[in-house]
Amino acid sequence: MIVKKFIFSFIILILFNFNTFAMENIYIVYKINNEIITNIDVDKESKYLITLNKELKNLDKSQLLNISKESILREKIKMIELGKYFDLEVTAENVKDYLRNFYNTLNINSENEFNQYLESNGLTLENIEKKITIEIYWNQLIYEKYINLIDVDENALKNKIKNIDVKEKIYLLSEILFELENNEKLKTKIKIIEQSINEIGFNNTANIYSISDSSKLGGKLQWIEERKLSKKVLKNLNLLSKGQHTAPIQTGSNFIILKVEEIKYEQKKFDEKEMLNRMVEFETNKQLDTFSKIFFKKIKINQKINEF
């Protein structure tokens, strides 16, 4: 009987010590209002970001940590706001379409292959679907809030279409979108970013300094036709060859640096009506993206954020 009690007590002691050890290795990184972000959340975010951009593995651990913390903080702030409008436990209806685009971007051909890829990186399909759901709901919220404020000049776009060369230039670009904070000087910020580009490359620098959602992908954008770019951007891009990047271009209150990843030319046979619809959609999404950044900045200011 004494032996049984001793064994029972010993097991309880082991379990207690194990739980204490586990608790000591989990700590709070951020507290946003009543929500918390732990080091486990940050670690998962690092794994997620690396699945999007393998070059992140080449970064210093402290740099990757800071990128991951900023990324998960941004997501948590979005979740807090979205919780006022949506049930985040319900997966968005079109998440599978977004998921397919997600793994196609990584040159993966099937969901099963993608699932194996995630498991090898310590993630699950459920992790990714949750993140995609958050972005879908966020885009839906921004659309509902600002669609009536979108102003697209269709006549200007029609004139652009008339002047399109049959052989069209198309750019594959990466971006670093940045802003100045707390009396920061533009020359100083540019010097820091340029030094980072020289040391760790454009895409890793985008992960660190870009405020755009594309930062998770190292600033990488999809192929963009020349006609969709503004005159100011084109003026800068036309001076560049593959691998080069522009000087900072002011866009609203922010600044953008664009890198030419690839350039190609396509022989165009297009329907003018279809082309106009695509250009209107592109311009609409561009304006919604601007509203998205403004709205996020506004709600972030209103959060009580404590870093530990």
Side-chain angles (χ1 to χ4, degrees):
M1 188 68 177
I2 294 174
V3 173
K4 285 184 179 179
K5 284 183 179 180
F6 171 75
I7 293 172
F8 180 74
S9 300
F10 183 67
I11 291 170
I12 293 296
L13 183 62
I14 290 174
L15 291 174
F16 176 78
N17 287 336
F18 177 78
N19 289 332
T20 302
F21 174 78
M23 290 300 292
E24 285 176 353
N25 285 273
I26 300 175
Y27 54 87
I28 297 173
V29 177
Y30 286 112
K31 186 177 180 185
I32 308 104
N33 300 338
N34 295 319
E35 300 282 337
I36 63 169
I37 295 173
T38 70
N39 60 310
I40 303 300
D41 299 318
V42 175
D43 182 57
K44 282 185 180 178
E45 189 69 9
S46 295
K47 291 175 181 176
Y48 168 66
L49 293 175
I50 288 170
T51 64
L52 296 177
N53 179 15
K54 292 180 182 178
E55 290 180 16
L56 285 176
K57 288 182 178 179
N58 301 324
L59 286 184
D60 180 85
K61 285 185 179 180
S62 62
Q63 289 178 313
L64 178 57
L65 177 64
N66 289 333
I67 293 169
S68 304
K69 284 168 65 177
E70 181 60 31
S71 179
I72 193 66
L73 177 63
R74 192 183 306 171
E75 183 178 85
K76 181 64 77 172
I77 291 170
K78 286 183 178 181
M79 288 176 68
I80 291 170
E81 184 65 22
L82 290 172
K84 301 173 184 177
Y85 307 92
F86 304 97
D87 181 357
L88 298 182
E89 296 301 315
V90 178
T91 303
E93 288 182 10
N94 50 345
V95 72
K96 291 295 181 184
D97 294 331
Y98 281 82
L99 188 66
R100 193 177 302 109
N101 290 334
F102 186 98
Y103 61 69
N104 284 341
T105 303
L106 299 172
N107 295 318
I108 295 174
N109 299 316
S110 69
E111 188 174 308
N112 184 50
E113 186 183 341
F114 182 50
N115 205 9
Q116 291 174 3
Y117 173 71
L118 291 175
E119 286 178 2
S120 69
N121 286 281
L123 295 169
T124 66
L125 207 57
E126 186 180 356
N127 296 145
I128 306 303
E129 286 183 347
K130 185 174 181 181
K131 286 183 172 295
I132 292 174
T133 291
I134 290 166
E135 291 307 315
I136 290 173
Y137 285 150
W138 177 261
N139 291 339
Q140 185 177 330
L141 177 63
I142 297 301
Y143 182 88
E144 291 171 356
K145 276 184 172 292
Y146 296 106
I147 189 60
N148 292 330
L149 298 178
I150 299 300
D151 183 19
V152 178
D153 187 344
E154 290 196 19
N155 288 326
L157 294 179
K158 286 177 183 177
N159 288 330
K160 257 192 173 183
I161 291 172
K162 288 177 184 177
N163 295 321
I164 291 175
D165 197 327
V166 178
K167 198 173 184 182
E168 188 174 18
K169 196 174 186 180
I170 305 176
Y171 290 95
L172 183 61
L173 302 172
S174 291
E175 65 173 353
I176 297 173
L177 183 70
F178 67 92
E179 60 185 352
L180 300 179
E181 296 179 346
N182 303 324
N183 300 317
E184 209 172 13
K185 291 183 179 179
L186 180 59
K187 284 186 178 179
T188 303
K189 188 68 172 270
I190 293 171
K191 187 176 180 181
I192 291 169
I193 291 175
E194 286 289 353
Q195 185 177 342
S196 178
I197 291 171
N198 291 332
E199 290 176 356
I200 62 175
F202 191 94
N203 300 116
N204 285 336
T205 300
N207 280 115
I208 297 171
Y209 293 104
S210 181
I211 60 172
S212 172
D213 288 338
S214 68
S215 64
K216 291 182 179 180
L217 294 165
K220 292 176 183 175
L221 303 172
Q222 295 180 345
W223 286 96
I224 302 175
E225 294 92 341
E226 190 176 37
R227 67 178 180 274
K228 291 182 178 178
L229 299 168
S230 69
K231 289 180 180 179
K232 187 193 290 187
V233 168
L234 274 177
K235 185 178 178 181
N236 283 268
L237 288 179
N238 285 335
L239 302 172
L240 303 181
S241 303
K242 176 182 173 182
Q244 296 180 317
H245 64 268
T246 67
I249 304 166
Q250 187 161 7
T251 168
S253 60
N254 299 322
F255 298 86
I256 190 168
I257 302 173
L258 293 168
K259 178 188 175 187
V260 177
E261 300 286 357
E262 296 281 351
I263 299 174
K264 67 180 180 180
Y265 294 86
E266 285 187 355
Q267 203 72 18
K268 282 290 172 185
K269 290 181 181 178
F270 56 82
D271 179 277
E272 287 192 14
K273 187 176 179 181
E274 181 188 349
M275 181 69 69
L276 177 63
N277 290 337
R278 285 168 58 188
M279 290 177 74
V280 168
E281 181 184 0
F282 179 84
E283 184 60 35
T284 299
N285 288 338
K286 190 167 73 171
Q287 291 185 32
L288 285 172
D289 187 54
T290 300
F291 282 122
S292 173
K293 290 177 176 62
I294 293 169
F295 182 64
F296 178 81
K297 201 169 183 179
K298 178 182 174 182
I299 63 172
K300 184 179 180 181
I301 290 170
N302 293 327
Q303 307 301 320
K304 186 179 178 182
I305 302 171
N306 293 310
E307 185 174 2
F308 295 87

